[in-house]
Amino acid sequence: MKVKLAQLLAIGLIGTSAVSWAQISGQAEFFESKVRPVLVNRCAPCHGDKVQMGGIRLTSHDAIHMSGVVTAGDANSSRLIQAVRYNGKVKMPPTGKLPDAEIDALVLWVAEGAVWPESSLSNKVAPAAGFWAFRPVRKPDVPNVKHSMWARTDIDRFILSKLEEKKLSPVRDADKYALLRRATLDLTGLLPTPSEIEAFVIDSSPQAFEYVVDRLLASPAFGARWGRHWLDVTYYADTTGVGRRIPLPEAWRYRDYVIKAFNDDKPYDEFVREQIAGPEGHEKKKGTHKVDGDEIAATGFLVLGPWAWFSYDKAQLRMDVADLQVDLIGRAFLGLTVGCARCHDHKFDPIPNKDYYGLVGIFLSTKTLDRQEGGINKVRLPETTEMVKRYADDLDKWDKRVNEVEAADKANAKEQAEVKKLIEELKSKPKSEETATELKSQEAQLATLRKKTGTAGDRQILPFTRYMRPKLPEVYAAEDMPFPEDARIAVRGDAHQLGEFTPRRFLTAAMNGPTPEIAPDSSGRKELADWIANEKNPLTARVYVNRLWHHLFGDGIVATTDNFGSRGEPPTHPELLDFLATRLVQNGWSTKKTIREIVLSHVYQISSMQDEKANEADADNRLLWRANRRRMEVEAIRDTILQASGHLDPGRGGPSLPLTAQNVHTIAPFFLEDDSVIEDSVKFRRTVYQPIMRNSQMEGIDVLNLFDFKDPDQVVGTRTPTTVPTQTLYLMNSPFIKEESHRLADRLLKDASMDDAGRVSRMIMTTLNRPATERDFQQARQFISDFGAGLQKMENAPSDTVTEAWARYCQAIFVSSEFLYRR
């Protein structure tokens, strides 16, 4: 039996595009957090250092490979995997089969080579407290450079200083067309329009690009673009559960909170406080600050996750939820793999086991799960008179609808019973042609009656109608438990082997000043939020500005955006990183001001052309002598195709889950079926507003499954791009690509004011954002002529070969590297 893709996704082991070790946030972190706990807790009692039943020991690299129970790279042939799957004569552990998540972790570990980190990484030890990431942020002196005329900003001086050390120079500036396309894609995720391009090209003022940047930062599309970047470092999705798509109808409120926060340029320290502590993060403003729904929705950051809320082992579930929350906080805000300290002191970073459980206590004191539908804690939003009135009206309509469906259901059941009785009578009669005809007719009638009660046997209209009972607006949010508690250390991460208590606290290695005190009646979330959002925290500002830099340049100053520890990459420009971190705080933690400062630097505006000398010295372009040419993220690919075809729906916000009788499985627990389809009301909106599942994405946005969309069960600060044949096949054969190509062709052909040359010119400017060249005109004429002639020779040629040829030409542009890549 192979591991199901959905199962691996659900436990957060792989991305949505392929089983790739590079997508698991590092071999060491995966082994320590997913594999070692299983080997230690489940296997070691019988196959450990003290007892080796059957002569098998599973506690070290050499022992496990010498035992012969593991065939590295081949899970199906490994005796260990066969035993835990209960496939053969030997079934382990004998006390009962392991949970699917633990089996899947072992399977993936063996399939990827059964790597045991200590065998190759034993020389790595936890760094001293003086490790660069834990030192206080200090504003560095701006370096002097030889070519001072090139440097427009202090950012440029830091970059140029490193280049001059290597006797390198930046390449020439990008032309206006490439620069506008780059900035528009980076800041909004969309393409510049022909009118925007024309206005920028003819503006010869020194402030021309500055005006463009300010316009883009003020666009609502900015929040959609950068909000999606933030959602990548959360567990956000519109469903929960392991293996099933259990809907979270109100999850969109957190998504909309994030997008609004970026559009409003909410100070990042407030953004941090609200997502961890909610309204409590504003306690300093008590008396003047009115709590709104956004602040309550903000803690969706903590509670929207891949929780196995129907697990029978409640103690272990509670510990596992807290573990994921601690790991989320560590990676998203601090750039540390704190979750690796669950079973023992962190092997690479100065994070003791006690610090980990100090944080766990905070989240054990936080209400995350609820046994209600969906399994996640809900909080009622502040009510208004209008809201209550609308709820009463909706409830009245729902009551009437339920009564109608119940009456129809009863009538249908009665009619079905009558038809079934008639069918039985016909079956008991002697066989004849007349009886057979009548029997066939009645069976067809029964099938029709059954369809009226639902779209399938497990999708009944009456249970679905009851399920859709209106509710006053709620939001998934975290709350303090009535009686906060300190955590006990779970020996080897096992919630049933508890050791000493550990007071709620934070990471000692990142402490800068007195240890904050947590009130006995508080979970500690507010204090944690204040500690993280403090300007003296050595990690918070560094990690955030590095994320901003990463999205603008393709690589972070620290390439491992979620890991600033010793297993991460060191910064290429440490002084620049600290300069940006101090500027962020000086600018009131403003995201837009920081992005503006970076984008207006000269280094952002250079071209992506190659230079032989620089390429030999710095092939990876870590010193930024040129712009990085990189493929657009999958959301931008989809959104810009819709934009170019004129089919992009400008609608924003609100629910997106397709909760319809066709989609919802109505045998408890209710969940969305795999063949669910997106409703037309949101189908052509930007991708960030589409429903996001915790396994393969839905039909209509299936492009996400192939182009490295972020796995919702992982914190993914850096997406791992892949290039696989299925991507090209999708672009060539996808109904979505073909339909949008036809729409664009229809728009071009219906404009009688243009000839074919004008159409090509408009097409190139709309999609590639530059003037068409003579080569473009020649290629277009040749392609359309040859393709049209080929169509006419076909036996089943389309009636309109001209439109079909133009549509294929549009598709060729959409699948071209020049369209798909940000240059």
Side-chain angles (χ1 to χ4, degrees), residues 259-539:
I259 293 172
K260 184 175 184 293
F262 277 93
N263 274 332
D264 293 347
D265 198 20
K266 185 183 289 289
Y268 182 65
D269 60 339
E270 284 188 29
F271 189 55
V272 170
R273 287 189 174 95
E274 289 177 355
Q275 290 180 93
I276 298 174
E280 291 297 314
H282 288 284
E283 191 173 329
K284 292 178 182 178
K285 302 178 183 178
K286 195 171 183 179
T288 61
H289 182 75
K290 184 178 180 181
V291 174
D292 60 26
D294 284 347
E295 292 167 21
I296 301 173
T299 55
F301 171 81
L302 291 174
V303 302
L304 295 172
W307 322 127
W309 60 277
F310 45 81
S311 172
Y312 293 105
D313 191 338
K314 306 307 178 193
Q316 192 64 50
L317 171 62
R318 206 165 158 239
M319 186 66 73
D320 290 345
V321 169
D323 172 69
L324 280 175
Q325 290 171 323
V326 168
D327 195 55
L328 173 65
I329 292 284
R331 292 178 189 267
F333 296 127
L334 304 173
L336 295 175
T337 57
V338 182
C340 290
R342 178 174 182 172
C343 300
H344 45 67
D345 292 347
H346 200 294
K347 289 188 174 295
F348 311 113
D349 297 331
I351 305 173
N353 191 226
K354 287 186 177 181
D355 278 7
Y356 168 85
Y357 281 98
L359 289 169
V360 165
I362 293 173
F363 296 105
L364 291 180
S365 302
T366 299
K367 191 174 183 181
T368 300
L369 299 185
D370 194 302
R371 293 311 301 163
Q372 295 178 3
E373 181 181 293
I376 295 178
N377 188 56
K378 292 180 182 178
V379 175
R380 183 80 59 81
L381 289 174
E383 296 174 7
T384 64
T385 303
E386 181 183 353
M387 185 187 298
V388 174
K389 184 178 183 302
R390 185 167 57 248
Y391 166 70
D393 292 341
D394 290 344
L395 194 61
D396 185 56
K397 292 176 184 175
W398 176 80
D399 276 331
K400 291 177 180 176
R401 174 61 181 160
V402 169
N403 290 334
E404 290 171 0
V405 173
E406 285 178 342
D409 212 46
K410 287 179 182 178
N412 185 280
K414 182 179 179 182
E415 194 171 352
Q416 280 193 50
E418 292 172 353
V419 173
K420 286 178 183 177
K421 182 178 179 181
L422 182 56
I423 288 172
E424 291 303 317
E425 291 174 356
L426 290 169
K427 286 181 178 180
S428 65
K429 289 183 177 180
K431 290 184 179 180
S432 67
E433 185 176 339
E434 183 181 351
T435 301
T437 301
E438 179 64 15
L439 180 61
K440 188 175 181 181
S441 173
Q442 292 301 321
E443 287 175 340
Q445 173 67 7
L446 180 60
T448 301
L449 290 170
R450 283 173 173 165
K451 285 183 180 179
K452 287 183 180 180
T453 65
T455 58
D458 57 358
R459 290 179 244 192
Q460 301 295 310
I461 291 177
L462 180 56
F464 172 77
T465 306
R466 290 171 177 158
Y467 170 74
M468 294 298 290
R469 188 181 194 277
K471 299 174 183 176
L472 283 165
E474 297 174 309
V475 64
Y476 302 110
E479 293 181 287
D480 278 5
M481 297 289 268
F483 303 103
E485 62 181 285
D486 292 330
R488 294 176 66 182
I489 292 177
V491 180
R492 304 185 187 93
D494 187 341
H496 300 288
Q497 297 186 49
L498 299 178
E500 63 180 294
F501 281 96
T502 300
R504 280 164 283 152
R505 67 186 194 192
F506 317 132
L507 301 183
T508 52
M511 207 65 68
N512 191 3
T515 302
E517 293 185 7
I518 297 176
D521 61 346
S522 166
S523 67
R525 283 187 296 119
K526 179 189 178 303
E527 292 82 356
L528 175 62
D530 288 340
W531 173 71
I532 291 176
N534 192 305
E535 63 184 61
K536 292 184 179 180
N537 188 301
L539 292 162

